[in-house]
């Protein structure tokens, strides 16, 4: 077997004549490299060459036009609210001045201007929380503590003042918290949980009462707005909806008819109603059902509506994963004597969830953006803040620039989610590779 | 393993027929919907006894063996395993599943866990064994099924025969008193069947109580104390391998034997 093209042969140290078959060969030169790729995919025939050139021309024109509008002719700053310069270039140049001028309002809403560092810090806490949670190294039970801590810290920063009465508005809730704290201490003494849990609970509790000591002024929830609202709704919405969804999905496959019916009802009822009407119900009708004098925060009500809504959708995604598992996996786990929860936690869910990472992330991304619907019940999320920023007469008509700015922020978060899920999928499905 | 096989190649029986039975089926009936799949099945398996179950497809062999660790529920009759009756009592069920190992036709290894993790999972979580001890035990058993070098691979990276041997090791890691096999070699290519059967023969030599659904006549002759022939949900004949294979009494068994002999 003497290859005709001897240039593709790898030079050998030893004698070649003895083992002619065993010679390792490089792939044919033309098959690799960008030039070869372009030749194969873009210029393989005259018609594909023509299409390639035409599309290249159109794309280039669009790109140049956008660059002219967004960069070359753009106005980055105007003095005060003098938007005359912007109005003159309208249509041919972007007025980024509106973003320069209003970015703090878009990001933080009506939060008191001199306290903006607090919501800014909250955004950083969220990003750090995502980063920590994303690392598989940290996927341990202590991560729950980190989340609880982040939640407390975010509440304290956003509210300030004495946050405790607002984190736990009712006296009975404060009593309950104390009871939980005592319970955690007891559980530690009995050796059921490690010391981190009661210690962390104590720190959170003390922090919640420490607002005035830290010198944070009180900011009522009505003044919160912008990106922190979006992140709060999306993060805690999904963080609570996901476990709920797992329980509902398991419940739907339960052998107990009562539990099964309840789960089916929940999913079907919630799925059959638009999120908007659920938000309306949460904001208008829900308070009517509460006992006299009890008042749940508006943001919390919207948050609950979002959790319930996302939970129903995610439950169906998770159920898809559960159904995709062969029955043999359940039987093998049963035959080994694992309990229901061991079987579910160690065998079923790890496999089922990996299978549904793409639709899960799809739903996550969808809900991250759907949080913007809270605007209809008067909550000031990122998108609403952007919209409100251009209500002022001086800045009217510069919506495109603001929406691009807001869109880029949404995109960054969603794209990060998407990218991360791709990596996670590849990593978790390593066992399927041969 | 110290026991040496007799010259004719059969494994000496360790069955103690005087002791209370390891498995007792007493007039067991089961239906799938209206389909009557087990009809008055009665059978007693002594500790250390090796029973091979054979019969045509759909005769209820899998259903019977799966009733023994309650992967299927029987509706009438009694099943007593290791002195514990199978009822809806969950604690009895847990106790039985701890004592009974099962090997499936399709292996059913956990694909997201390594071979070692597959083996240590149940000892750690069900027997509450320290991880280190469980790993040592798993390595010992993987060595016994002759694949210790595969311990850190995932099941998907192994051949069918290797996977089935892991499945046997996984079941043995629970130190069961009874092992059930449901057609352990049916999903395997011919050249891998022997490696699995060899492991099972060795296991039989240790005196394990075994109930094996299989059509491997060579294995049955070599290892079985008794062969059970099932047809249409009934136990039709029970006897030593010689009685069943050389001297069938019923027409149904004769027909079955002629069919599988033709098939081989
Ligand atoms: N989960 C089930 N639901 C309904 N019918 C079933 C179920 N499992 C088995 N059957 C039926 O019960 C009968 C006995 O099945 P079983 O699997 O026990 O037979 P088998 O002897 O193991 O056959 P094979 O040699 O093909 O494995 C068959 O008719 C089968 O179709
Ligand atoms: Mg079967």
């Amino acid at each position: 077997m003497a290859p005709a093209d001897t240039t593709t042969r790898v030079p050998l140290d030893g004698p070649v004549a003895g083992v002619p078959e065993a010679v390792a060969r490089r792939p044919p030169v033309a098959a690799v490299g960008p030039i070869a790729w372009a030749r194969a995919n873009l210029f393989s025939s005259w018609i594909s060459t023509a299409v390639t050139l035409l599309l290249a021309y159109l794309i280039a024109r669009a790109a140049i036009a956008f660059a002219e509008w967004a960069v070359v002719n753009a106005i980055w700053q105007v003095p005060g609210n003098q938007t005359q310069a912007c109005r003159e270039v309208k249509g041919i140049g972007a007025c980024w001045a509106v973003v320069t001028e209003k970015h703090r309002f878009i990001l933080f809403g009506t939060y008191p201007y001199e306290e903006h560092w607090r919501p800014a810090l909250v955004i950083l806490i969220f990003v750090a929380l995502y980063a920590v949670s994303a690392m598989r190294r940290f996927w341990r039970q202590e991560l729950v503590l980190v989340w609880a801590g982040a939640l407390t810290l975010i509440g304290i920063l956003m509210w300030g003042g004495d946050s405790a009465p607002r984190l736990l508005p009712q006296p009975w809730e404060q009593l309950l918290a104390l009871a939980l704290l005592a319970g955690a201490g007891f559980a530690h003494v009995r050796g059921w949980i490690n010391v981190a849990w009661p210690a962390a609970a104590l720190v959170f509790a003390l922090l919640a009462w420490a607002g005035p000591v830290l010198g944070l002024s009180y900011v009522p929830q009505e003044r919160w707005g912008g990106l922190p609202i979006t992140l709060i709704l999306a993060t805690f919405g999904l963080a609570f909806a996901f476990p709920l969804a797992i329980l509902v999905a398991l419940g739907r496959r339960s052998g107990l008819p009562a539990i099964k019916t309840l789960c089916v009802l929940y999913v079907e009822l919630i799925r059959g109603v638009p999120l908007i009407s659920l938000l309306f119900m949460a904001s208008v009708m829900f308070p009517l059902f509460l006992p006299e004098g009890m008042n749940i925060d508006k943001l919390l009500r919207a948050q609950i509506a979002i959790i319930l809504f996302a939970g129903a959708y995610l439950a169906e995604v998770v159920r898809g994963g559960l159904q995709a598992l062969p029955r043999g996996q359940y039987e093998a786990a049963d035959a080994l004597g694992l309990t229901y929860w061991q079987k579910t936690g160690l065998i079923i869910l790890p496999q089922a969830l990996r299978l549904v990472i793409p639709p899960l992330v799809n739903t996550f991304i969808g809900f991250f953006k759907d949080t913007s619907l809270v605007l209809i019940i008067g909550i000031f999320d990122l998108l609403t803040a952007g919209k409100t920023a251009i209500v002022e007469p001086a800045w009217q008509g510069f919506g495109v620039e603001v929406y691009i700015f807001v869109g880029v922020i949404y995109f960054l978060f969603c794209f990060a989610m998407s990218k991360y899920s791709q990596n996670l999928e590849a990593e978790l499905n390593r066992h399927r590779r041969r | 393993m110290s026991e040496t096989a007799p010259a004719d190649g059969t494994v000496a029986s360790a069955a103690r027929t005087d002791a209370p039975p390891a498995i007792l089926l007493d007039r067991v009936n089961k239906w799938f919907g209206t389909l009557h799949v087990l009809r008055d099945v009665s059978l007693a398996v002594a500790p250390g006894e090796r029973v091979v179950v054979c019969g045509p497809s759909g005769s209820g062999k899998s259903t019977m063996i799966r009733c023994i660790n309650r992967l299927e529920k029987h509706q009438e009759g009694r099943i007593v395993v290791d002195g514990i009756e199978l009822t809806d009592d969950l604690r009895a069920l847990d106790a039985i599943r701890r004592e009974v190992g099962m090997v499936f036709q399709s292996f059913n290894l956990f694909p997201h866990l390594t071979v070692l993790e597959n083996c240590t999972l149940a000892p750690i979580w069900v027997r509450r064994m320290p991880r280190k001890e469980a790993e040592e035990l798993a390595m010992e058993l993987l060595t016994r099924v002759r694949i210790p070098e595969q311990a850190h691979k995932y099941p998907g990276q192994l051949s069918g025969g290797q996977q089935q041997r892991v499945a046997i090791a996984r079941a043995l890691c629970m130190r069961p008193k009874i092992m059930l096999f449901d057609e352990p070699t049916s999903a395997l290519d011919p050249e891998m069947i022997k490696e699995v059967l060899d492991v099972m023969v060795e296991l039989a030599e240790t005196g394990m109580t075994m109930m094996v659904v299989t059509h491997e006549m060579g294995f049955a002759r070599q290892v079985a104390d008794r062969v059970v022939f099932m047809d249409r949900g009934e136990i039709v004949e029970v006897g030593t391998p010689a009685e069943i294979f050389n001297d069938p009494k019923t027409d149904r068994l004769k027909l079955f034997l002629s069919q599988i002999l033709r098939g081989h």
Side-chain angles (χ1 to χ4, degrees):
Chain A
M1 189 190 109
D5 182 7
T6 47
T7 57
T8 62
R9 290 179 59 167
V10 175
L12 283 179
D13 299 321
V16 181
V19 279
E21 267 95 348
V23 176
R25 294 177 60 205
R26 287 218 190 87
V29 181
V32 292
I35 296 173
W37 181 89
R39 192 173 293 162
N41 293 293
L42 300 177
F43 303 102
S44 59
S45 66
W46 70 265
I47 203 163
S48 87
T49 306
V51 171
T52 302
L53 291 178
L54 182 68
L55 282 176
Y57 171 72
L58 291 176
I59 291 171
R61 271 199 56 167
I64 289 169
F66 181 78
E68 270 180 357
W69 177 81
V71 183
V72 180
N73 298 332
I75 292 183
W76 299 88
Q77 233 160 357
V78 291
N81 272 354
Q82 319 274 291
T83 54
Q84 197 49 42
C86 272
R87 301 216 175 271
E88 275 158 16
V89 296
K90 196 146 175 36
I92 49 170
C95 178
W96 297 120
V98 63
V99 174
T100 317
E101 183 74 15
K102 293 283 186 185
H103 71 277
R104 283 177 66 163
F105 182 82
I106 299 172
L107 287 175
F108 307 124
T110 52
Y111 208 87
Y113 192 83
E114 57 288 353
E115 301 286 341
H116 274 181
W117 65 272
R118 280 155 60 180
L121 193 55
V122 164
I123 294 172
L124 288 182
I125 291 174
F126 270 118
V127 172
L129 189 62
Y130 301 148
V132 169
S133 311
M135 280 183 259
R136 290 188 68 199
R137 195 150 29 107
F138 296 120
W139 288 6
R140 296 188 260 134
Q141 52 168 325
E142 282 81 1
L143 195 59
V144 177
L145 283 181
V146 173
W147 275 73
L151 178 61
T152 317
L153 206 58
I154 286 164
I156 291 163
L157 279 171
M158 291 301 285
W159 266 306
D162 192 351
S163 301
R166 277 166 292 274
L167 284 171
L168 308 165
Q170 302 296 319
W172 62 266
E173 285 170 346
Q174 299 181 9
L175 277 180
L176 190 71
L178 276 180
L180 278 179
L181 189 59
F186 178 72
H188 166 61
V189 171
R190 299 297 303 265
W192 297 333
I193 51 177
N194 69 33
V195 70
W197 291 81
L202 191 65
V203 172
F204 300 156
L206 289 179
L207 267 179
W209 266 273
V213 181
L214 297 172
L216 300 178
S217 62
Y218 171 58
V219 179
Q221 190 261 299
E222 289 72 30
R223 300 200 58 183
W224 303 6
L227 187 54
I229 288 278
T230 296
L231 294 182
I232 288 172
L233 286 173
T235 309
F236 295 109
L238 293 171
F240 286 96
F242 190 43
L244 172 71
I246 290 176
L247 289 179
V248 171
L250 292 172
R252 257 192 107 150
R253 294 167 58 88
S254 153
L256 305 170
I259 291 183
K260 189 173 172 166
T261 318
L262 204 67
C263 293
V264 172
L265 267 181
Y266 163 71
V267 170
E268 296 305 332
L269 278 181
I270 299 274
R271 264 205 316 190
V273 175
L275 178 55
I276 293 195
S277 58
L278 215 61
L279 286 170
F280 261 127
M281 276 197 273
S283 90
V284 183
M285 279 171 58
F286 189 60
L288 302 180
F289 298 123
L290 285 182
E292 193 82 29
M294 189 166 162
N295 179 27
I296 298 187
D297 191 273
K298 182 157 84 174
L299 187 64
L300 183 59
R301 277 181 272 147
Q303 180 81 77
I304 291 173
I306 286 176
I307 290 172
L308 290 178
F309 199 68
Y313 276 86
L314 291 172
E316 286 301 282
V317 173
V318 173
R319 190 164 70 96
L322 293 176
Q323 267 168 349
L325 278 200
R327 211 159 66 109
Q329 293 291 307
Y330 292 83
E331 288 176 350
D334 282 336
L336 285 170
L338 298 177
T339 65
Y340 175 80
W341 290 110
Q342 288 172 342
K343 172 174 73 174
T344 306
L346 298 169
I347 307 297
I348 306 304
L349 284 179
Q351 293 187 65
L353 292 182
R354 276 163 219 219
L355 284 175
V356 293
I357 288 177
L360 270 183
V361 173
N362 200 20
T363 317
F364 276 26
I365 289 178
F367 272 96
F368 186 81
K369 294 176 296 180
D370 280 356
T371 53
S372 56
L373 288 174
V374 293
L375 80 100
I376 62 139
I377 57 169
I379 292 176
F380 232 73
D381 78 316
L382 179 60
L383 188 62
T384 320
K387 228 171 108 162
T388 316
I390 45 174
V391 165
E392 202 180 317
W395 294 104
Q396 265 172 19
F398 298 107
V400 175
E401 289 84 348
V402 167
Y403 287 129
I404 288 180
F405 177 64
V406 170
V408 165
I409 295 176
Y410 274 109
F411 177 79
L412 286 180
F413 281 97
C414 294
F415 186 67
M417 254 192 271
S418 162
K419 259 302 181 245
Y420 171 69
S421 83
Q422 282 170 15
N423 291 339
L424 186 66
E425 209 186 326
E427 198 177 326
L428 287 180
N429 286 334
R430 240 181 342 190
H431 66 274
R432 294 212 216 172
R433 255 187 261 147
R434 280 212 153 238
Chain B
M1 286 227 211
S2 56
E3 223 174 333
T4 45
D8 62 353
T10 59
V11 178
S13 170
R16 291 173 36 230
T17 37
D18 51 327
I23 306 170
L24 177 74
L25 296 134
D26 184 13
R27 275 163 297 156
V28 171
N29 279 285
K30 168 154 186 77
W31 290 262
F32 280 121
T34 54
L35 185 68
H36 199 172
V37 284
L38 292 182
R39 309 178 188 210
D40 273 335
V41 170
S42 292
L43 182 71
V45 179
E49 193 179 17
R50 277 92 56 166
V51 174
V52 163
V53 183
C54 61
S57 180
S59 57
K61 309 177 297 289
S62 297
T63 309
M64 177 176 78
I65 206 167
R66 289 155 59 86
C67 278
I68 292 171
N69 64 355
R70 215 170 172 76
L71 288 181
E72 305 283 359
K73 279 187 192 172
H74 62 288
Q75 283 131 329
E76 277 178 16
R78 275 184 346 127
I79 300 180
V80 182
V81 179
D82 195 31
I84 306 169
E85 175 158 6
L86 277 177
T87 57
D88 285 328
D89 180 9
L90 285 179
R91 254 180 309 160
L93 182 62
D94 284 345
I96 285 167
R97 284 187 174 158
R98 238 172 277 171
E99 303 307 330
V100 179
M102 179 139 186
V103 175
F104 301 85
Q105 180 175 351
S106 48
F107 328 136
N108 295 349
L109 294 176
F110 305 128
H112 63 301
L113 302 177
T114 63
V115 164
L116 189 66
E117 287 164 344
N118 263 279
C119 292
T120 55
L121 185 84
I124 289 174
W125 288 92
V126 181
R127 289 236 188 261
R128 303 272 164 211
M129 196 183 276
R131 174 174 300 274
K132 194 139 184 306
E133 201 179 309
E135 279 174 0
E136 279 163 15
L137 173 65
M139 285 314 295
E140 181 192 322
L141 286 161
L142 286 172
T143 311
R144 228 167 94 184
V145 300
R146 296 192 274 277
I147 33 174
E149 71 283 358
Q150 311 286 357
H152 297 285
K153 287 195 184 167
Y154 287 96
Q157 298 167 313
L158 305 185
S159 75
Q162 289 172 326
Q163 289 192 44
Q164 193 60 299
R165 284 184 281 150
V166 173
I168 294 173
R170 176 177 73 176
L172 290 177
C173 275
M174 283 295 283
R175 297 227 174 275
K177 293 185 185 151
I178 300 167
M179 283 286 286
L180 308 175
F181 296 81
D182 189 0
E183 307 207 31
T185 57
S186 301
L188 297 179
D189 293 337
E191 70 268 24
M192 296 173 186
I193 291 179
K194 188 172 178 301
E195 64 188 46
V196 172
L197 289 181
D198 284 349
V199 166
M200 289 171 62
V201 170
E202 267 175 36
L203 183 62
E205 284 167 357
T206 65
M208 174 71 74
T209 311
M210 289 164 70
M211 192 151 174
V212 186
V213 176
T214 183
H215 292 159
E216 293 294 330
M217 294 306 149
F219 174 80
R221 281 180 195 277
Q222 187 183 357
V223 165
D225 297 308
R226 280 189 299 163
V227 176
V228 172
F229 171 65
M230 286 186 80
D231 190 21
R232 278 176 250 151
E234 289 171 310
I235 293 186
V236 180
E237 269 189 56
V238 181
T240 62
E243 285 165 358
I244 295 286
F245 298 132
N246 304 342
D247 185 18
K249 305 259 177 335
T250 57
D251 290 342
R252 287 202 249 175
L253 178 52
K254 284 177 194 160
L255 180 68
F256 172 70
L257 288 175
S258 71
Q259 275 166 351
I260 59 167
L261 289 180
R262 204 170 336 121
H264 277 244

